[in-house]
Amino acid sequence: MTSSGPGFISLQVRDLDASAVFYETHLGFTRQAGPPHAVVFATTPAAFAVRSALPGVDLDTIPQPGIGVAVWLHTPDTQAVHDALVAAGVTIVAEPIDGPFGRTFTFADPDGYQITLHDRA
């Protein structure tokens, strides 16, 4: 038995509406149909979503949500997204560099998840 890879990625967030707007505004994501406790975006190859925290998960007690997990998202123009995020006051965790996945950088979303963007598919 084998797996074909990620099919769905979701982040548990404190404020569903604020996180959804963040990803729409800063990354250009578009909402698609989803359950009431989540906002699912029309991303490829895997769907990406933000969702309300599961019962028993208190994100306010976690110093950095997602520690130890790397989420990388593709964008055709990493530098332009970086510059727009800086102008909007978003925390940049790692400045842009050129590497095997193209130009990459890492930012912190409203909940502190560190998200890396790259421009080479």
Side-chain angles (χ1 to χ4, degrees):
M1 176 140 314
T2 62
S3 174
S4 62
F8 192 86
I9 298 167
S10 68
L11 303 177
Q12 296 179 57
V13 298
R14 292 176 185 90
D15 184 330
L16 185 59
D17 291 331
S19 289
V21 168
F22 176 87
Y23 283 97
E24 288 174 317
T25 302
H26 297 296
L27 297 185
F29 288 177
T30 303
R31 295 180 193 215
Q32 66 179 23
H37 63 274
V39 174
V40 180
F41 299 102
T43 56
T44 59
F48 177 81
V50 290
R51 59 157 296 142
S52 300
L54 291 167
V57 175
D58 183 356
L59 293 172
D60 291 327
T61 65
I62 301 169
Q64 181 191 330
I67 190 83
V69 174
V71 176
W72 285 54
L73 303 174
H74 177 260
T75 183
D77 192 345
T78 323
Q79 191 64 53
V81 175
H82 169 271
D83 296 347
L85 289 173
V86 168
V90 174
T91 300
I92 303 301
V93 177
E95 291 295 332
I97 61 166
D98 294 314
F101 298 100
R103 192 137 183 92
T104 65
F105 76 95
T106 304
F107 66 89
D109 81 354
D111 286 281
Y113 288 102
Q114 294 186 3
I115 309 295
T116 299
L117 291 182
H118 68 100
D119 62 12
R120 184 176 301 147

